[in-house]
Amino acid sequence: MPTQILMPALSPTMEEGNLVKWLKKEGDTVSAGEVIAEIETDKATMEVEAVDEGIIGRILVDEGTEGVPVNSPIALLLAEGESSEDLEKAPEPRPAASAQPPADVHAEQRTEEPAAPAAVPKVPVQPLPADPDIPGGTEMVEMTVREALRDAMAEEMRRDPDVFIMGEEVAEYQGAYKVTQGLLQEFGDKRVIDTPITEHGFAGVGIGAAFAGLKPIVEFMTFNFAMQAMDQIVNSAAKTLYMAGGQMGAPIVFRGPNGAAARVAAQHSQDFAAWYGHIPGLKVVMPYTAADAKGLLKAAIRDPNPVIFLENEILYGQSFEVPKLDDFVLPIGKARIHRQGRDATIVSFGIGMTYAVKAAEELAGMGIDVEIVDLRTIRPMDLDTVIESVKKTNRLVTVEEGFPQSSVGDHIASQVMQRIFDYLDAPVITITGKDVPMPYAANLEKLALPSVAEVVEAVKAVTYRA
Amino acid sequence: MATAAKKTSVKSSAGKSARTRGASARSSLAATGTPAVRTPKPAELTKDEELHAFREMLLIRRFEEKSGQLYGMGHIGGFCHLYIGQEAVVVGMQMSMKEGDQVITGYRDHGHMLATGMDPRGVMAELTGRRSGYSKGKGGSMHMFSKEKNFYGGHGIVGAQVPLGTGLALANRYRGNDFVSLTYFGDGAANQGQVYESFNMASLWQLPIVYIIENNRYAMGTAITRSSAETNLSLRGISFRIPGIQVDGMDVRAVKAAGDLALDWCRSGKGPIILEMKTYRYRGHSMSDPAKYRSRDEVQKMRAEHDPIEQVRQRLLQKKWATEDELKAIDKDVREIVADAADFAQSDPEPDVSELYTDVLL
């Protein structure tokens, strides 16, 4: 049976093209891969190659023909032993694949009943574990966030020999912000690796090691520099599990200080919570307290997914109570009610919590009883906890240091509006950093960041006490 | 070494070809501290090895011809980059590897997958976006993986696989095994910054990695002479003390010899090495290639005079290691495998809609 040579598509969107030129004529012998014709669209020209060896039995579309539909036969190829008498027996071309209906449905069925587009399946709901109960009588120890992070890494490195840390100045310098202090001494230079200043490269090296089954912690001296590594984080770490159909992923933690420190100006003062929060395939954690920093970093290291762990330089030195337990691990994806209240809900995370906590104290003095939800994880986001709180208070203010457009608060406001519109007694107010690169001057820097006064005013506004 | 440099300096006065520029740069290698490595003689392949190479390369060739055909018919969507012409590179390297060595490459990856022994049905079904594809239809031509075959992708961003492959090598060193990471990239990727970030770390930490640069002369439509200040890509490691050699990537024997040398180099703890494979792709960069940047004569000349499969075929016939009929039988067998894969890939159902939300997170 002769083989049909079909008008090929040059691109997924091409529907027809021009047959510019035949390079072979009827009766010519061709071998597989030999160029037989040229076709073109407005975008490109392409050579049509013979897919098989044989003799050009008949040319069905003359050269110079325009608007030849893709997949229509343009010539018939005779195989060895076939003659022109076989030309009438050419098969029908097989229909091309399309999303719907499936390719194996017969053509006539298609015309009778065009299949409706498949319904988008519901997003699966993952049940979240609660924070582990801290047994009564557990000793609480004062600890800085910095110490909590170091202890979390040290404990996990003792527990699992596949865990190692790499980054700039993590070893001999003892950490640019001293978060990795002492790790080189305990674990040696095989597991505490100083890298050159080469963020894109070492992020990719870490991800490659994670593909191979190791569990790297990659420290960015600050997340500002991780923009250099953004392609590896997003395209290689976040998407591989999906692109591999679940075969292979990257169990890796990217951690380091994020957001504004003090007086380091525009290039060193950016909050990336919303950026990473945008990406499916990543988990994004941004703790406030030392206990959360410890419990969540341990969870992040054990997590089989890529986790972005956003710390804050200003919080490093702050002390909080941390339960003295052998293995204190918190669930990623679970918010924490930091303060219970009746009158309004403030949702914040990371250093944003410092404004929320101070504002709540001031507001209490004015008789306004605020509930504070510490999100702790940006992705997957615990919107249920936020929604439960807003159902009770009917008012919502979000607080973060990041830029206003497409902020984390914007997403929360949008979800609350879509899910519990009728519970809202006031428009949601999102407090963010100002829509400017971070200025250097002390007075301007202060203005560019959120303030306790702004949070107080926002809560007064949503409770109509302004 | 000194004599060779003298000879080439005479030549270079006649014309400044990439080759002579490279050779004179090489003469100063000793001064840079980069170990000097010479391109080995092509390997003497046994009859079985020649037959194996013939069959493996032919499988890739026929598979890619079929892919091009299915693309033209609309069964394969999106981007599709064919490996036709470059078959000797991946087949020769595969003949030097041992089980446990890892392979990672860019988006012109179908040949690498077949060479590592991945099932043609699974690869083709991924190309058509069906549920039995290696990535359940969610990756496509450029994003396929096989943990079982130590194939780590299939990466769509030019050069991104180079740090990733370096990370695979880091894992080998970390675990203290003697496996080697074979990291493939093209002459286009060779100008990406992350390649050099990787070279630096690989050499600094003496990682077991072979960087295989498949120089097919064109980065999409930009000829190497228009994109690269130094067109001898085997020299790109000098600043990092990584030795490199140029290899005739159209001759599977030359590739095999270079692969043996490179893998021994890595396994004996000497760190990374670069193999620049001088090769050529017959087809366009992708399916929608305007084919305006090179002449048809150039392509025909490569096909006629340097075809990697034809070279093996001629040797097999000359040495009377196979008859025309026997080689035809191999071709027929390969065509049947490919036809079966294509049929399978067109009849296999598309992924279930429930797969939309799976494999985002574990």
Side-chain angles (χ1 to χ4, degrees):
Chain A
M1 203 158 49
T3 309
Q4 287 184 331
I5 298 172
L6 303 176
M7 180 70 174
L10 274 67
S11 70
T13 50
M14 175 175 161
E15 288 173 0
E16 58 175 41
N18 307 332
L19 206 162
V20 180
K21 193 174 172 188
W22 279 105
L23 302 166
K24 297 282 171 188
K25 54 183 192 303
E26 289 181 4
D28 281 358
T29 303
V30 295
S31 55
E34 203 172 341
V35 180
I36 57 173
E38 275 178 26
I39 60 166
E40 68 169 15
T41 61
D42 51 352
K43 192 185 166 205
T45 56
M46 190 174 103
E47 294 169 341
V48 182
E49 295 182 359
V51 293
D52 235 322
E53 59 195 1
I55 296 162
I56 305 278
R58 184 175 295 164
I59 285 174
L60 302 171
V61 177
D62 292 331
E63 67 178 34
T65 308
E66 295 189 357
V68 183
V70 163
N71 270 346
S72 60
I74 56 173
L76 296 175
L77 192 66
L78 295 169
E80 212 176 322
E82 287 177 337
S83 70
S84 53
E85 285 154 34
D86 296 300
L87 285 172
E88 310 315 319
K89 299 186 219 158
E92 283 300 303
R94 196 167 190 155
S98 79
Q100 18 43 62
D104 52 353
V105 172
H106 289 302
E108 50 274 28
Q109 281 177 318
R110 267 196 210 191
T111 47
E112 274 169 25
E113 214 178 313
V120 179
K122 282 220 161 67
V123 184
V125 180
Q126 303 284 352
L128 280 170
D131 281 22
D133 290 327
I134 296 168
T138 299
E139 189 190 342
M140 301 298 277
V141 283
E142 276 285 295
M143 190 182 272
T144 62
V145 171
R146 173 183 285 114
E147 290 162 339
L149 292 167
R150 184 204 55 212
D151 286 359
M153 287 189 283
E155 286 176 24
E156 292 307 297
M157 288 175 78
R158 280 173 211 134
R159 182 179 168 269
D160 184 347
D162 283 345
V163 178
F164 68 98
I165 178 154
M166 63 192 291
E168 292 156 12
E169 311 294 3
V170 297
E172 296 198 2
Y173 195 94
Q174 304 289 312
Y177 296 97
K178 300 275 173 278
V179 177
T180 54
Q181 197 155 34
L183 295 184
L184 174 68
Q185 284 63 32
E186 180 174 352
F187 299 102
D189 62 3
K190 183 188 147 192
R191 298 181 68 194
V192 185
I193 305 170
D194 274 329
T195 65
I197 302 169
T198 186
E199 281 81 7
H200 197 188
F202 71 68
V205 168
I207 296 163
F211 284 172
L214 296 181
K215 292 164 188 162
I217 304 166
V218 170
E219 175 175 308
F220 290 117
M221 193 180 289
T222 83
F223 264 93
N224 300 289
F225 314 142
M227 270 202 279
Q228 299 249 16
M230 202 52 112
D231 173 66
Q232 287 290 357
I233 296 170
V234 175
N235 273 318
S236 301
K239 296 178 183 170
T240 295
L241 183 71
Y242 196 80
M243 296 192 304
Q247 265 192 86
M248 187 182 295
I252 191 169
V253 177
F254 296 101
R255 51 153 291 271
N258 165 69
R263 308 293 308 281
V264 289
Q267 292 179 337
H268 288 69
S269 306
Q270 192 168 333
D271 172 11
F272 291 91
W275 279 46
Y276 293 109
H278 190 64
I279 306 298
L282 292 179
K283 289 189 176 182
V284 185
V285 177
M286 191 157 159
Y288 163 54
T289 68
D292 286 349
K294 184 173 182 188
L296 288 167
L297 184 54
K298 282 167 68 80
I301 294 166
R302 291 182 197 185
D303 199 285
N305 300 288
V307 181
I308 307 289
F309 199 90
L310 302 169
E311 302 159 7
N312 185 283
E313 190 191 329
I314 291 163
L315 291 178
Y316 278 153
Q318 294 194 14
S319 291
F320 296 85
E321 288 199 324
V322 178
K324 195 174 178 185
L325 291 169
D326 284 344
D327 196 18
F328 178 63
V329 184
L330 290 169
I332 291 176
K334 188 86 188 135
R336 177 174 54 79
I337 306 290
H338 187 80
R339 181 188 198 278
Q340 296 208 329
R342 289 184 317 270
D343 298 333
T345 300
I346 299 178
V347 176
S348 190
F349 47 90
I351 193 160
M353 283 292 293
T354 56
Y355 307 102
V357 169
K358 284 181 193 145
E361 284 164 15
E362 280 187 31
L363 288 158
M366 299 171 202
I368 302 174
D369 184 20
V370 168
E371 178 145 304
I372 301 176
V373 177
D374 181 353
L375 218 45
R376 302 195 293 187
T377 300
I378 310 300
R379 169 183 274 273
M381 193 181 282
D382 184 5
L383 282 164
D384 289 348
T385 297
V386 174
I387 280 173
E388 281 316 303
S389 177
V390 177
K391 274 184 173 175
K392 184 171 72 175
T393 64
N394 312 108
R395 297 142 209 277
L396 174 61
V397 171
T398 66
V399 183
E400 68 196 292
E401 284 194 348
F403 296 131
Q405 186 167 335
S406 308
S407 64
V408 175
D410 276 1
H411 179 65
I412 297 169
S414 142
Q415 288 296 309
V416 166
M417 183 268 287
Q418 291 178 53
R419 287 167 63 168
I420 51 163
F421 184 71
D422 289 343
Y423 282 88
L424 284 174
D425 285 346
V428 177
I429 295 180
T430 55
I431 301 288
T432 64
K434 307 304 180 293
D435 205 9
V436 293
M438 183 64 74
Y440 169 69
N443 63 331
L444 296 182
E445 182 185 57
K446 207 171 171 194
L447 288 173
L449 290 166
S451 66
V452 174
E454 283 171 349
V455 180
V456 168
E457 284 311 304
V459 172
K460 283 163 74 180
V462 297
T463 50
Y464 303 106
R465 310 274 187 97
Chain B
M1 197 73 199
T3 340
K6 247 181 213 165
K7 266 186 197 163
T8 49
S9 69
V10 175
K11 270 191 204 160
S12 68
S13 62
K16 218 180 177 196
S17 72
R19 196 182 149 75
T20 52
R21 279 170 62 192
S24 54
R26 185 176 296 274
S27 66
S28 58
L29 274 189
T32 68
T34 306
V37 177
R38 285 171 183 279
T39 304
K41 281 197 192 117
E44 293 288 335
L45 300 187
T46 64
K47 177 185 165 185
D48 284 350
E49 286 172 330
E50 291 276 30
L51 281 168
H52 170 81
F54 179 75
R55 190 192 166 87
E56 289 290 296
M57 290 196 285
L58 204 56
L59 175 65
I60 296 172
R61 175 75 52 98
R62 297 291 176 242
F63 185 94
E64 293 292 65
E65 286 167 358
K66 184 62 85 178
S67 302
Q69 188 190 353
L70 292 183
Y71 188 93
M73 292 162 73
H75 293 299
I76 296 173
F79 295 128
C80 185
H81 308 87
L82 302 182
Y83 197 63
I84 297 176
Q86 302 181 208
E87 296 92 342
V89 177
V90 75
V91 169
M93 288 306 298
Q94 198 70 26
M95 289 167 76
S96 297
M97 287 167 56
K98 74 171 186 183
E99 201 174 326
D101 291 340
Q102 302 111 329
V103 174
I104 187 166
T105 187
Y107 45 75
R108 197 176 304 285
D109 56 354
H110 311 164
H112 303 72
M113 292 188 279
L114 296 174
T116 57
M118 288 168 67
D119 179 9
R121 278 187 165 199
V123 179
M124 197 65 98
E126 189 61 38
L127 296 183
T128 55
R130 306 305 175 94
R131 65 177 58 172
S132 303
Y134 268 96
S135 301
K136 302 183 194 164
K138 298 198 282 192
S141 166
M142 302 185 288
H143 317 109
M144 256 183 269
F145 306 80
S146 170
K147 206 151 199 184
E148 185 203 348
K149 301 289 182 191
N150 279 312
F151 180 71
Y152 287 83
H155 295 272
I157 305 294
V158 176
Q161 74 274 26
V162 181
L164 297 172
T166 308
L168 296 173
L170 178 81
N172 290 337
R173 200 198 61 158
Y174 191 91
R175 291 188 166 126
N177 60 38
D178 73 339
F179 298 132
V180 177
S181 163
L182 280 80
T183 299
Y184 292 83
F185 55 102
D187 47 294
N191 290 326
Q192 283 279 20
Q194 57 184 319
V195 169
Y196 300 93
E197 299 188 29
S198 303
F199 282 3
N200 186 40
M201 284 180 276
S203 184
L204 195 61
W205 301 332
Q206 291 288 285
L207 301 182
I209 179 164
V210 186
Y211 293 109
I212 303 148
I213 308 178
E214 298 194 65
N215 179 1
N216 65 18
R217 300 197 203 168
Y218 296 93
M220 246 180 109
T222 304
I224 185 159
T225 48
R226 296 200 297 123
S227 68
S228 301
E230 171 56 75
T231 56
N232 182 336
L233 302 180
S234 72
L235 302 176
R236 291 286 181 96
I238 287 181
S239 294
F240 311 96
R241 303 190 172 198
I242 303 177
I245 52 178
Q246 288 189 308
V247 182
D248 178 359
M250 304 302 276
D251 181 355
V252 73
R253 301 170 307 167
V255 175
K256 167 78 163 60
D260 288 346
L261 178 149
L263 284 153
D264 283 350
W265 180 273
C266 292
R267 276 195 238 286
S268 61
K270 291 180 185 160
I273 186 166
I274 294 168
L275 302 181
E276 180 195 357
M277 299 289 178
K278 310 270 279 185
T279 183
Y280 199 77
R281 70 169 149 74
Y282 298 170
R283 301 288 291 261
H285 160 74
S286 66
M287 301 307 291
S288 47
D289 185 318
K292 296 291 186 207
Y293 51 87
R294 59 182 184 183
S295 69
R296 179 170 298 140
D297 285 351
E298 180 185 303
V299 183
Q300 276 313 116
K301 200 167 147 61
M302 284 303 283
R303 274 177 192 264
E305 295 172 15
H306 299 282
D307 187 74
I309 300 174
E310 193 55 27
Q311 288 185 44
V312 181
R313 212 177 80 87
Q314 290 303 333
R315 283 199 301 273
L316 282 166
L317 293 171
Q318 269 166 22
K319 292 185 176 170
K320 301 208 186 312
W321 282 351
T323 64
E324 285 274 10
D325 282 349
E326 283 164 347
L327 296 183
K328 263 199 175 154
I330 293 174
D331 191 22
K332 185 163 177 282
D333 195 27
V334 163
R335 280 171 191 276
E336 275 166 16
I337 292 169
V338 170
D340 168 72
D343 281 346
F344 177 78
Q346 292 170 78
S347 53
D348 190 45
E350 289 182 314
D352 192 85
V353 290
S354 65
E355 288 290 348
L356 181 64
Y357 286 111
T358 60
D359 306 320
V360 179
L361 291 171
L362 278 173

